[in-house]
Amino acid sequence: MDQASKLRDLMSKTTKPHKGTHTVAVTSGKGGVGKSTLSANLANILALNGYKVALFDADIGLANLDVILNVRAEQNLLNVMRGECEFSDIVINVKENLFLVPGESGADIFKFNDKFLFDKFMNDASVLEGIDYLIIDTGAGIGPATQTFLDASDEVIVVTTPDPAAITDAYAVIKASCAHRKRVFMLPNNVKSAQEAERIFSTIAGVVRRNIGEVGLEMLGFVPNDKVVMRSIKSRTLFSDDAPNTEPSVCLKDAVSKLLYAVEQKMLDTSKEKSFVGFFKRLAEKF
């Protein structure tokens, strides 16, 4: 059985009804706030709950999800777009229900105008049509490539920390995102307490109200500062696997529960194609 057939077989094995692919972009105003670590653990928690999840590494120039997940990515999406390999060749089945799609510079991926290769990519990518959630680990900041990924996604989660620079930059991302959507989630990381997370959220929400007006900025949850997170990073494991009952894992599970509820309650935008391939079509139209 070739890789494409294996992926199709894995997609067919499901315990939940497939309701289309929901895309969630995880972003930040600056680097070093734990965005990729939270993306990987968020995806893992969804996978543990029976959802089929693909992690797309779109962190321009700093793609490192393969390191965090302790897998080896020989090739990435850029190689596919160049016609150097098949899409199914780059997809890594990390564990049950969890897949990694290694990326490259987001801007470079869609610079190729070869219609045959692009159409072939779209056809080949259909092997992951059974994916329930596509989690996109974007680059930090408000660069045009990152903004394009955010605009094409169904939901946006902005990760920040108590660092004043991170808070300032998070506001810049939220301001840019609010121009194109009705809701943005915020997820403070590495905080001392729930109270500190609330203060960070209140500070940014206050600035948003004064400068932008009433927008849908929502607190998704928070992840506390804990040695278990740093241990997992050093050992290239996921803290949601290693220590599922510790505060960081429990807090992130609560955030995932809120995300799931929000997605279920949201009125689906019928103008968007809710599929794995559909997301890349929307993305290509914007580049």
Side-chain angles (χ1 to χ4, degrees):
M1 185 184 292
D2 62 16
Q3 176 71 352
S5 298
K6 289 178 183 177
L7 289 172
R8 289 193 182 92
D9 184 55
L10 289 169
M11 289 298 106
S12 68
K13 296 175 181 177
T14 180
T15 59
K16 291 182 179 292
H18 181 60
K19 300 179 181 179
T21 301
H22 302 282
T23 56
V24 180
V26 184
T27 192
S28 63
K30 70 186 292 290
V33 299
K35 169 181 57 62
S36 296
T37 296
L38 293 191
S39 295
N41 280 278
L42 185 151
N44 186 50
I45 291 170
L46 284 168
L48 290 171
N49 277 278
Y51 295 97
K52 293 197 180 300
V53 186
L55 258 172
F56 177 36
D57 200 343
D59 194 343
I60 298 170
L62 295 170
N64 66 343
L65 282 176
D66 56 333
V67 176
I68 291 173
L69 296 168
N70 199 22
V71 295
R72 188 170 181 177
E74 299 286 354
Q75 294 173 300
N76 57 50
L77 196 55
L78 188 57
N79 298 111
V80 178
M81 298 306 293
R82 286 172 173 164
E84 297 168 355
C85 63
E86 303 286 327
F87 176 76
S88 57
D89 293 333
I90 71 167
V91 179
I92 300 171
N93 185 193
V94 179
K95 57 186 296 189
E96 185 178 6
N97 294 330
L98 182 59
F99 303 84
L100 173 64
V101 180
E104 184 49 75
S105 168
D108 288 343
I109 290 171
F110 293 97
K111 279 181 179 176
F112 294 91
N113 296 318
D114 189 314
K115 188 176 186 303
F116 172 77
L117 287 177
F118 186 75
D119 289 346
K120 185 177 186 303
F121 158 68
M122 289 298 181
N123 182 64
D124 292 348
S126 65
V127 297
L128 291 187
E129 277 303 322
I131 289 293
D132 298 305
Y133 281 88
L134 173 60
I135 307 299
I136 304 155
D137 181 28
T138 77
I142 54 175
T146 295
Q147 196 59 50
T148 300
F149 279 103
L150 299 185
D151 293 347
S153 300
D154 298 315
E155 304 289 350
V156 170
I157 300 173
V158 179
V159 178
T160 189
T161 66
D163 174 48
I167 293 173
T168 300
D169 291 342
Y171 165 71
V173 172
I174 291 166
K175 181 180 178 181
S177 298
C178 285
H180 304 280
R181 61 183 59 251
K182 295 180 180 178
R183 175 172 65 199
V184 176
F185 289 113
M186 212 176 109
L187 184 62
N189 185 33
N190 203 28
V191 296
K192 295 177 182 177
S193 63
Q195 290 74 23
E196 183 174 46
E198 287 288 352
R199 283 196 298 272
I200 293 170
F201 176 77
S202 297
T203 297
I204 294 180
V207 177
V208 168
R209 278 193 299 271
R210 288 193 297 274
N211 294 290
I212 306 175
E214 292 296 330
V215 297
L217 180 61
E218 298 183 24
M219 176 91 151
L220 187 63
F222 70 94
V223 178
N225 182 342
D226 195 296
K227 291 179 180 178
V228 71
V229 177
M230 190 54 65
R231 276 202 304 270
S232 72
I233 293 171
K234 289 180 178 178
S235 61
R236 295 188 180 184
T237 57
L238 300 174
F239 65 80
S240 50
D241 274 339
D242 292 347
N245 299 316
T246 57
E247 194 176 6
S249 294
V250 172
C251 287
L252 194 55
K253 287 176 186 176
D254 289 342
V256 169
S257 294
K258 185 172 181 178
L259 175 66
L260 287 170
Y261 179 78
V263 169
E264 288 292 329
Q265 295 298 311
K266 184 177 181 180
M267 187 73 71
L268 294 180
D269 183 354
T270 54
S271 68
K272 289 183 179 179
E273 188 178 347
K274 297 289 180 181
S275 68
F276 184 81
V277 171
F279 168 76
F280 287 99
K281 286 181 179 177
R282 297 198 302 272
L283 201 60
E285 289 168 0
K286 293 176 182 291
F287 270 105

